[in-house]
């Protein structure tokens, strides 16, 4: 199992959370996606490490901007 948390710009509501969750869940190997609207983060759990560009592309497809790993 691998878990990574990323900061995301532009999320403001429940629809944003849903859109990011749907797109990131499509990445092969992803087993869970948790979006924290208040913290502006997405935590991705997968059966193997997922490359950041894949997560960035999924977040972009949802209409938001991945700005890097969460601190």
């Amino acid at each position: 199992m691998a878990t990574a948390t990323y900061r995301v710009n532009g999320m403001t509501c429940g629809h944003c959370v849903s859109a990011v969750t749907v797109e990131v869940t499509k990445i092969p190997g992803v087993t869970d996606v948790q979006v924290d609207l208040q913290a502006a983060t997405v935590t991705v759990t997968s059966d193997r490490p997922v490359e950041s560009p894949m997560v960035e592309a999924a977040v972009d497809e949802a209409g938001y901007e991945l700005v890097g790993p969460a601190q």
Side-chain angles (χ1 to χ4, degrees):
M1 289 282 253
T3 302
T5 302
Y6 303 91
R7 291 181 296 125
V8 177
N9 277 347
M11 298 187 301
T12 59
C13 65
H15 175 267
C16 302
V17 170
S18 178
V20 170
T21 301
V22 166
E23 292 302 327
V24 175
T25 300
K26 293 178 183 178
I27 299 171
V30 169
T31 58
D32 187 50
V33 177
Q34 296 296 316
V35 179
D36 184 331
L37 185 60
Q38 251 184 332
T41 60
V42 59
T43 300
V44 180
T45 304
S46 55
D47 56 14
R48 61 192 184 308
V50 174
E51 295 182 18
S52 295
M54 294 178 76
V55 178
E56 184 175 9
V59 169
D60 183 65
E61 182 67 25
Y64 307 96
E65 177 188 17
L66 187 136
V67 292
Q71 299 298 327

